[in-house]
Amino acid sequence: MPVSYTPRGFAIYAEFRDSYGNNIRVQQSHDAGVDAVWIFALRDGEETGPSTSPHLTVEQAILVRAALTEFIQEATEEGSTP
């Protein structure tokens, strides 16, 4: 379920700060030709564009999810995360 929506009505699935204080936003893409999502990583006051932000298809998002799941499993097995 989206956290919020952009002024143009696109879903924002997550917004948070990373461990370096960057603003992270996972947002529905407005590309009508493909189901995709943007992952924005912004420093305060910094703008980003297509060349610096991943634009993932469903298949690519599945690959990222699998990699993150592996990371989470390894980190929790080692006891570094509650």
Side-chain angles (χ1 to χ4, degrees):
M1 175 175 262
V3 172
S4 62
Y5 292 87
T6 68
R8 293 179 53 202
F10 299 108
I12 298 173
Y13 299 105
E15 274 189 294
F16 58 93
R17 288 196 180 265
D18 71 6
S19 58
Y20 285 131
N22 298 310
N23 297 310
I24 306 299
R25 185 175 74 243
V26 180
Q27 178 183 311
Q28 178 183 22
S29 173
H30 61 275
D31 186 345
V34 63
D35 285 331
V37 67
W38 286 104
I39 300 176
F40 295 105
L42 305 167
R43 290 192 172 104
D44 284 333
E46 182 181 86
E47 293 294 323
T48 187
S51 64
T52 59
S53 295
H55 185 254
L56 305 176
T57 64
V58 172
E59 293 81 10
Q60 293 165 332
I62 290 168
L63 292 172
V64 171
R65 180 183 65 186
L68 290 172
T69 297
E70 181 67 24
F71 162 71
I72 293 164
Q73 289 173 342
E74 286 181 10
T76 55
E77 287 172 3
E78 294 172 4
S80 62
T81 303

